[in-house]
Amino acid sequence: TEKETSIEDGSTTAEVFNTLDESASRTEEWVIKNQKYIFIIVGLAAVLVLGFLGFDKFIQEPKEGQATNDMFQSQQYFDQAVNGTSKDSLFTLALNGADGKYGFLDIADVYSGTKAGNLSNYYAGMAYLNMKDYTNAVTYLNAFSSDDDILGPIAKGGIGDAFVQLEQLEDAYDYYVQAAQLKSNDYTTPMYLYKAGVIGLKLGNNSKALGFFNQIKSDFPQSTEAKDIDVFIGKAEAASN
């Protein structure tokens, strides 16, 4: 009986190895038959990887550096406009450039896809907002994207400010809510909760406005917006009844 079992086990093992050998042979045959296409696919993958690395190293990085250099003068004009008196003329220089230097509009266009190009959209939008060109402010701030805790919410809030001036309160309300919820910090969050609450009251969104005001009181008691928040809570409560 033991001998028969041993023979059966040996036979089963042999079948397994035969099956493996057959599978390996088929695999080898397939590889040999299709090796031309395999080499093409591997080659294309290598070209794509090397191409991406080369693009990033030899094209994108120098482009980023050049864009940042070209932004320098426009940023100076912008800072001078914010802190100075000849605001409109300085904002115009920041937007359009001067003395052969690019302004934010050119940088956003020429260096589209770079960090500097993206940031130029923000600066251009804020410049237009200060110049009361609210339509262009919305256009350029919408083109800006950022994960920054401050700049991201401020861009959304700036769009809200522009829509208020354009008397599009529904749009303003939506962007203030987005700005408040985008990132949580002690500066932008209570500011845009407050603005969303004020515009919410005007639109009749009284319960939502009450929630925004209560959130300021509970979560941001040290903020500037919290100083008179009880007055607004009272208004929202009265409007909700």
Side-chain angles (χ1 to χ4, degrees):
T1 302
E2 291 178 358
K3 186 174 182 180
E4 288 177 356
T5 303
S6 176
I7 291 170
E8 288 176 0
D9 289 344
S11 177
T12 302
T13 303
E15 288 178 6
V16 170
F17 279 111
N18 286 335
T19 302
L20 290 174
D21 287 341
E22 289 175 5
S23 299
S25 296
R26 291 195 195 100
T27 302
E28 289 173 3
E29 289 175 5
W30 185 89
V31 170
I32 293 169
K33 184 178 179 181
N34 296 280
Q35 61 182 337
K36 177 181 178 181
Y37 303 105
I38 294 172
F39 289 146
I40 290 173
I41 292 170
V42 172
L44 286 173
V47 168
L48 288 173
V49 170
L50 292 174
F52 174 77
L53 294 175
F55 173 82
D56 195 53
K57 179 69 176 177
F58 299 109
I59 297 177
Q60 190 65 17
E61 285 185 12
K63 191 176 181 182
E64 290 279 4
Q66 185 62 48
T68 301
N69 289 337
D70 286 348
M71 274 187 68
F72 178 74
Q73 185 62 62
S74 292
Q75 285 178 307
Q76 284 194 319
Y77 288 136
F78 186 92
D79 292 341
Q80 290 169 14
V82 170
N83 300 313
T85 54
S86 303
K87 293 184 179 295
D88 281 2
S89 60
L90 287 168
F91 279 129
T92 299
L93 288 174
L95 287 168
N96 299 318
D99 300 325
K101 301 290 186 181
Y102 279 153
F104 289 128
L105 301 182
D106 290 321
I107 295 168
D109 179 37
V110 173
Y111 297 110
S112 176
T114 67
K115 295 176 182 178
N118 180 48
L119 190 57
S120 290
N121 284 316
Y122 170 81
Y123 277 116
M126 297 306 292
Y128 278 125
L129 186 63
N130 279 278
M131 295 170 69
K132 301 181 181 179
D133 185 343
Y134 302 116
T135 301
N136 273 320
V138 170
T139 298
Y140 280 92
L141 288 175
N142 254 327
F144 171 71
S145 61
S146 175
D147 291 330
D148 186 82
D149 286 354
I150 302 298
L151 288 186
I154 287 178
K156 294 290 185 186
I159 296 172
D161 292 340
F163 277 129
V164 167
Q165 297 301 323
L166 292 169
E167 298 183 357
Q168 296 176 227
L169 297 187
E170 289 281 359
D171 293 316
Y173 175 79
D174 289 341
Y175 275 96
Y176 284 148
V177 172
Q178 289 180 48
Q181 296 176 346
L182 188 62
K183 299 287 183 179
S184 181
N185 60 70
D186 293 335
Y187 173 59
T188 64
T189 307
M191 176 168 62
Y192 293 121
L193 284 172
Y194 173 80
K195 290 188 176 188
V198 170
I199 299 300
L201 284 178
K202 291 185 178 181
L203 293 171
N205 300 335
N206 302 317
S207 60
K208 290 280 190 181
L210 179 59
F212 296 144
F213 295 142
N214 279 327
Q215 187 178 346
I216 292 172
K217 183 174 182 178
S218 62
D219 296 349
F220 305 97
Q222 303 302 317
S223 65
T224 302
E225 291 75 17
K227 290 180 180 178
D228 299 316
I229 203 64
D230 286 332
V231 174
F232 289 93
I233 289 174
K235 287 181 180 180
E237 288 176 339
S240 299
N241 295 328

